[in-house]
């Protein structure tokens, strides 16, 4: 994930959580804003907790303007794009969140690349 973002010219933070929500890895590029550390964690937490890409929460909210979104009151939940669940077969074994690219869609591309790189080891 970090390598892909760097190739695209982005300085980011990458956070990987295990299936229990514990932080396994945090990689933080030099000169990346400090808020990306928290944001990548929150994205990863959201993807793990809701078992879907973190941005799906935001997309659902955009389709339902004016409807309360109580999940956003939970600690560490965000509607920002950039994190994906990590699966071994059909089982979610963790999540990866990226923050720092100019747009969550670009963060998600990096997350996807990082997970794809290790996919063969997730059987």
């Amino acid at each position: 994930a970090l390598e892909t973002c760097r190739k695209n010219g982005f300085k980011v933070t990458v956070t990987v959580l295990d299936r229990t929500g514990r932080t396994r890895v945090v990689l933080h590029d030099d000169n990346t804003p400090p808020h990306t550390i928290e944001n990548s964690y929150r994205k990863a937490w959201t993807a793990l907790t809701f078992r879907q890409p973190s941005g799906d929460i935001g997309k659902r909210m955009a389709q339902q303007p004016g409807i309360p979104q109580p999940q956003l009151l939970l600690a560490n939940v965000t509607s920002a794009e950039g994190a994906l669940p990590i699966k071994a077969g059909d089982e979610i074994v963790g999540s990866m969140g990226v923050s720092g690219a100019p747009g969550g869609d670009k963060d998600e591309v990096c997350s996807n690349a990082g997970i794809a790189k290790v996919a063969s080891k997730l059987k």
Side-chain angles (χ1 to χ4, degrees):
L2 190 63
E3 181 180 302
T4 297
C5 272
R6 284 176 174 166
K7 284 181 184 175
N8 292 327
F10 310 137
K11 293 179 181 243
V12 299
T13 300
V14 177
T15 299
V16 177
L17 304 179
D18 68 15
R19 71 179 77 225
T20 66
R22 289 186 170 207
T23 303
R24 288 304 194 174
V25 176
V26 177
L27 301 171
H28 181 72
D29 267 324
D30 290 342
N31 298 318
T32 302
H35 73 274
T36 63
I37 298 168
E38 178 184 350
N39 203 30
S40 66
Y41 173 81
R42 291 180 66 198
K43 289 178 180 186
W45 179 263
T46 300
L48 180 67
T49 302
F50 291 98
R51 308 175 66 78
Q52 61 187 329
S54 61
D56 285 2
I57 300 288
K59 290 173 187 169
R60 262 200 328 273
M61 289 185 345
Q63 293 171 351
Q64 302 171 335
I67 295 176
Q69 302 295 328
Q71 65 271 27
L72 290 179
L73 298 175
L74 298 170
N76 301 317
V77 173
T78 184
S79 61
E81 283 182 280
L84 299 169
I86 300 171
K87 294 183 178 182
D90 290 333
E91 184 180 355
I92 294 177
V93 296
S95 62
M96 179 181 295
V98 176
S99 179
D105 57 328
K106 295 167 187 67
D107 289 329
E108 189 170 308
V109 167
C110 298
S111 288
N112 194 42
I115 294 168
K117 182 96 175 186
V118 298
S120 66
K121 296 176 174 111
L122 296 171
K123 297 182 178 181

